[in-house]
Amino acid sequence: MEYFLQQLINGLTLGSIYGLIAIGYTMVYGIIGMINFAHGDIFMVGAFIALIAITALGFVASTGIGLIILALMLVLVISMLFAAVYGWTVERLAYRPLRGSFRLAPLITAIGMSIALQNYVQIAQGARVKPLQPIITGGYTITETMTENGLFAVQLSNIQILIIVTTVILMTLFSLLIAKTSLGRSQRACEQDRKMAALLGVNVDRTISLTFVVGAALAAVAGLMFLLYYGVIDFYIGFVAGVKAFTAAVLGGIGSLPGAMLGGLLIGLIETFWSGYFTVEYKDVAAFSILAIVLIFMPSGLLGKPEVEKV
Amino acid sequence: MASWSENPILKVEHLTMRFGGLVAIDDLSFDVGRGDITALIGPNGAGKTTVFNCITGFYKPTEGRLKLRHHDGDTFLLERMPDFKIARHAKVARTFQNIRLFGGMTVLENLMVAQHNPLMHASAFSFAGIFSLPRFRNAEAKAVERATYWLEHVNLIDRADDPASDLPYGAQRRLEIARAMCTGPELLCLDEPAAGLNPRESAELNKLLRYIGANHETSILLIEHDMSVVMEISDHVVVLDYGEKISDGNPEKVKNDPAVIAAYLGVDDEEVETVEQEVGV
C-alpha cells in the first residue's frame, strides 16, 4: 500500500508535466487540425531558458525560501515569455504561409522546425547534458513502515508539491481563459468554423497565433518543472517528452482540453506504475500498448467527441 | 432616378468574377439603398451567392468596385479588404444558405463571439478576463445585454444556455440573424433566410426583417427563392441570370418584366408571350 502511494505521487508529478505539454498539442490540433511536432522542442527551449535564467540569477538551495520562490516566479515568467516568442515565431514563419496548402505540408515543416530547434540548441548550448544543482530540496515523510527489506518511507518532496500545485493553478486559469473570456470563445469558434468566425470579425490569424503563444507558455512551465525535478536537461528532451505528451493528447481525445489533462496524468501514472511494479525498460512499451488498446475500442480517445457525419 | 440610387449604402460597379474560363458574374452594377430591403433573385446558378462572396471578402473580384458608405459618411472599398476586416470595420454581416452556427457553443456564446472585438479590446487580449477585472466585466455585461435584446426579438431567450445545435431548424435560422445583428452591421447580407421554413416561420421572418429595417441603421440585402417573401418585404429587386443583371426595380416592375419571366421559365425573350398565353398568365 505504501509502495502504491509513493508510485501514485511520482506518477501524478510526471503526469502533470505531460499534461501541461499535451495542452499545446491538443489546442493547436483543435484550431488548425495539424500536429505541431515542434511543440516538444518548445518545451525543451523553455527548459533551457529557465536554466539560463537560474544561472544568471545565481541562486542556490542555501538562499532563503521566500527569496527562492520569488526568484522562481521570475524565472517562470522569463521562460514563458521567451518560449511564447519562439512559439509565435515558429507559427508565423513555418505554418502560416502554408495555411490552405495541402494537409501534409505543415506536418513536414513542423518536423523540420523540430529538427531545426534541436540542432540550434545543440550548437548554441552544446550537446552535453546540463546539470542543475537541486534548488528546492526537502520534503515530507507521509508514512513509515518496517518491511523485511528495512524501513520504507513514503516521501512527498517539496518539488513534487510545487509541480502539482503549479499545474493545478495553471490548468484552472487556462480553463477559465477558454470558458469565460472572449479569446477563449473566439478560439472555440475558430475550431468549429474558421470562415464564419472571420465573418463575425474575429481575426483568425491572430487567434491562431495566440493559441501557439499560450501553448508555448504552458510548455515552458513544463520545461522549468522538468528542469527542477530531474536536474538535468539536454537538447534532446523535447523529443521524448513531446512524443509522450502527444500520446497523452491522443489518449485523452485530441482536440479536447480536459482530455489532454487526463491523458497526461494517465500516461504519467502508467509509466510510473509499470516501472514500479514491473520493469523500467518496458515502461514506454506499456504506455504505448495501452494507447493502442484504448484507441481500438475508443477511436476518438477517452474524452474526444466522435465525428458524426450528417447525411 | 430611382430612390435607391440617391443615397446608396453599397454601390456595386462593374463587378466581374471569373473562375478560370467560367464567367460567374459579368459586369454587374447595381445600388443597394440605405435602409432598404433589397432582394437579389435569379434562377439557380445565376451568380447570386458569388455576389455575396465578393461583398463579404470570400472571393476577390476579378474586376469592379464595391463601394460601401456608412451612414456617418465613412467609405470602404470592400474588394480591397480581407474578410475579417470587412466584418469589423466595414460592418457587413452575412448568413449562409446552409446553417453555420457554432454548434458546440451555447446560444448566448454564439452571440458573444459576434461581439468579440469590443470585448477583446476591453479585456486586453483576455488577460483581464481571466481575473474578471471591472473593465472586462462592464464590457461583458454590455455584450450580454445586447445579446439578450436580440434573443428576445427572435424568441430564443429561453434557450440561451442550450447548445446551438440542439435548436430546431427554424430557430437556428433566427439565431443566425440575431448573431449577425450582434456585430452591429450597417449592411446585413442574408443568403436564402427563408429556405426550409414553414409558412408560419416564414411570416415571422418577414416581421423580423421589417423590424430590423425600421428600427436599426441596418440595410438588408437578401437572396431569396421564396417569391412570397421577396415580393412582400423588399423595396427593390435585382434579377440576375447567367451572371448578368436582367432586371432592376421595385417588386411590381420586376414581376411583370418579360425578361424575368423568360429567365424563370427558361425561354428566350421573344417566346415569352407565346408561353404566357399557353400557361395562361
Side-chain angles (χ1 to χ4, degrees):
Chain A
M1 186 58 213
E2 285 74 22
Y3 191 61
F4 176 84
L5 194 64
Q6 183 66 66
Q7 297 306 331
L8 187 70
I9 292 171
N10 296 348
L12 285 177
T13 314
L14 187 61
S16 301
I17 294 177
Y18 287 155
L20 281 173
I21 311 174
I23 285 180
Y25 279 105
T26 216
M27 268 202 312
V28 165
Y29 181 83
I31 200 162
I32 51 175
M34 73 165 271
I35 306 295
N36 176 17
F37 278 112
H39 188 62
D41 299 287
I42 298 283
F43 154 78
M44 179 267 296
V45 167
F48 267 90
I49 291 164
L51 179 61
I52 293 168
I54 288 173
T55 317
L57 289 171
F59 58 96
V60 284
S62 54
T63 324
I65 184 77
L67 211 57
I68 283 190
I69 289 181
L70 210 65
L72 278 182
M73 297 271 272
L74 186 63
V75 171
L76 187 70
V77 170
I78 291 172
S79 66
M80 281 172 92
L81 279 179
F82 274 90
V85 172
Y86 272 89
W88 182 86
T89 313
V90 166
E91 192 272 338
R92 189 68 193 82
L93 292 180
Y95 306 150
R96 192 184 294 183
L98 290 169
R99 204 168 297 148
S101 160
F102 69 112
R103 274 181 86 91
L104 275 178
L107 194 77
I108 300 298
T109 49
I111 295 173
M113 282 318 291
S114 164
I115 296 171
L117 283 173
Q118 270 178 35
N119 286 359
Y120 160 62
V121 174
Q122 185 185 4
I123 291 166
Q125 295 292 327
R128 285 173 191 230
V129 294
K130 303 273 172 201
L132 175 73
Q133 292 299 316
I135 293 174
I136 298 172
T137 48
Y140 303 93
T141 305
I142 297 176
T143 56
E144 271 179 322
T145 40
M146 280 306 285
T147 61
E148 57 263 42
N149 300 325
L151 196 68
F152 184 79
V154 178
Q155 295 278 353
L156 177 62
S157 63
N158 285 336
I159 178 72
Q160 285 176 322
I161 298 175
L162 179 79
I163 290 176
I164 294 171
V165 168
T166 312
T167 307
V168 169
I169 292 173
L170 278 174
M171 296 235 177
T172 316
L173 284 182
F174 179 73
S175 308
L176 279 177
L177 174 80
I178 293 298
K180 298 272 183 228
T181 69
S182 49
L183 173 64
R185 273 194 297 262
S186 40
Q187 225 159 21
R188 283 180 289 147
C190 288
E191 261 176 43
Q192 293 182 40
D193 191 338
R194 244 191 285 167
K195 268 290 173 193
M196 191 66 231
L199 283 175
L200 293 171
V202 176
N203 185 339
V204 175
D205 279 340
R206 188 194 280 158
T207 308
I208 292 174
S209 286
L210 284 174
T211 306
F212 275 83
V213 163
V214 172
L218 288 179
V221 178
L224 172 64
M225 300 301 163
F226 185 94
L227 173 69
L228 292 176
Y229 193 47
Y230 290 103
V232 281
I233 53 170
D234 61 36
F235 70 96
Y236 204 60
I237 55 166
F239 177 75
V240 182
V243 168
K244 295 272 175 58
F246 171 57
T247 311
V250 175
L251 179 67
I254 193 132
S256 152
L257 291 171
M261 301 176 196
L262 179 69
L265 284 182
L266 281 179
I267 293 281
L269 287 172
I270 293 167
E271 253 191 60
T272 13
F273 276 107
W274 188 275
S275 328
Y277 286 98
F278 303 104
T279 55
V280 180
E281 288 79 15
Y282 286 102
K283 68 177 172 42
D284 294 348
V285 176
F288 287 104
S289 307
I290 288 175
L291 170 78
I293 293 166
V294 168
L295 288 185
I296 289 169
F297 293 104
M298 304 172 85
S300 44
L302 294 170
L303 299 182
K305 279 179 234 103
E307 282 188 19
V308 186
E309 206 175 326
K310 262 192 187 171
V311 280
Chain B
M1 202 182 189
S3 65
W4 40 84
S5 298
E6 282 162 15
N7 181 18
I9 176 159
L10 177 70
K11 278 182 92 65
V12 176
E13 291 169 348
H14 307 290
L15 181 68
T16 300
M17 184 76 212
R18 291 191 206 96
F19 298 101
L22 177 79
V23 183
I25 307 172
D26 191 7
D27 195 23
L28 173 71
S29 301
F30 66 91
D31 295 334
V32 178
R34 187 175 309 280
D36 282 357
I37 297 181
T38 307
L40 194 58
I41 66 169
N44 287 327
K48 306 179 295 285
T49 301
T50 310
V51 173
F52 265 38
N53 286 341
C54 289
I55 294 173
T56 50
F58 260 38
Y59 298 154
K60 290 285 150 235
T62 322
E63 283 166 33
R65 205 157 76 141
L66 298 158
K67 198 163 138 195
L68 184 98
R69 211 165 63 85
H70 284 177
H71 66 276
D72 58 11
D74 290 350
T75 308
F76 299 88
L77 296 175
L78 301 183
E79 77 279 5
R80 297 185 187 169
M81 297 168 75
D83 47 12
F84 76 91
K85 285 200 172 148
I86 289 181
R88 184 185 296 187
H89 302 300
K91 301 205 169 298
V92 176
R94 88 173 274 191
T95 66
F96 290 84
Q97 282 175 46
N98 50 337
I99 288 175
R100 289 181 81 165
L101 289 169
F102 304 119
M105 298 166 81
T106 68
V107 168
L108 180 64
E109 279 179 332
N110 266 276
L111 301 188
M112 299 294 277
V113 170
Q115 303 179 65
H116 160 90
N117 287 315
L119 281 176
M120 206 62 174
H121 187 71
S123 69
F125 289 111
S126 284
F127 293 108
I130 306 178
F131 303 104
S132 253
L133 299 184
R135 196 160 83 113
F136 177 71
R137 276 209 306 270
N138 290 342
E140 183 97 349
K142 237 185 234 161
V144 172
E145 202 176 296
R146 191 181 207 172
T148 311
Y149 170 85
W150 283 110
L151 283 178
E152 275 165 0
H153 280 90
V154 297
N155 290 329
L156 286 173
I157 192 76
D158 302 336
R159 310 286 311 254
D161 292 324
D162 294 347
S165 55
D166 287 1
L167 296 181
Y169 182 85
Q172 293 196 7
R173 282 258 171 230
R174 292 204 303 279
L175 179 58
E176 277 206 308
I177 294 175
R179 184 178 64 179
M181 286 311 293
C182 276
T183 62
E186 293 260 339
L187 178 65
L188 175 63
C189 301
L190 304 170
D191 197 344
E192 298 197 28
L197 297 187
N198 63 34
R200 195 175 54 82
E201 290 171 326
S202 190
E204 268 174 25
L205 175 75
N206 289 357
K207 218 174 86 190
L208 176 66
L209 295 186
R210 277 219 204 84
Y211 175 83
I212 291 172
N215 295 287
H216 290 269
E217 292 278 5
T218 302
S219 314
I220 299 174
L221 176 63
L222 64 105
I223 293 176
E224 192 46 76
H225 281 300
D226 186 337
M227 284 305 142
S228 69
V229 174
V230 172
M231 294 306 161
E232 201 187 319
I233 66 168
S234 39
D235 304 296
H236 173 199
V237 181
V238 176
V239 191
L240 293 189
D241 193 20
Y242 295 110
E244 289 178 51
K245 185 167 84 173
I246 57 169
S247 186
D248 185 348
N250 60 35
E252 206 49 43
K253 180 189 160 204
V254 165
K255 197 154 63 176
N256 299 314
D257 189 332
V260 177
I261 298 165
Y264 272 90
L265 296 177
V267 292
D268 292 333
D269 289 11
E270 299 83 55
E271 295 171 46
V272 168
E273 273 181 40
T274 3
V275 175
E276 276 186 340
Q277 277 162 9
E278 278 170 21
V279 297
V281 180

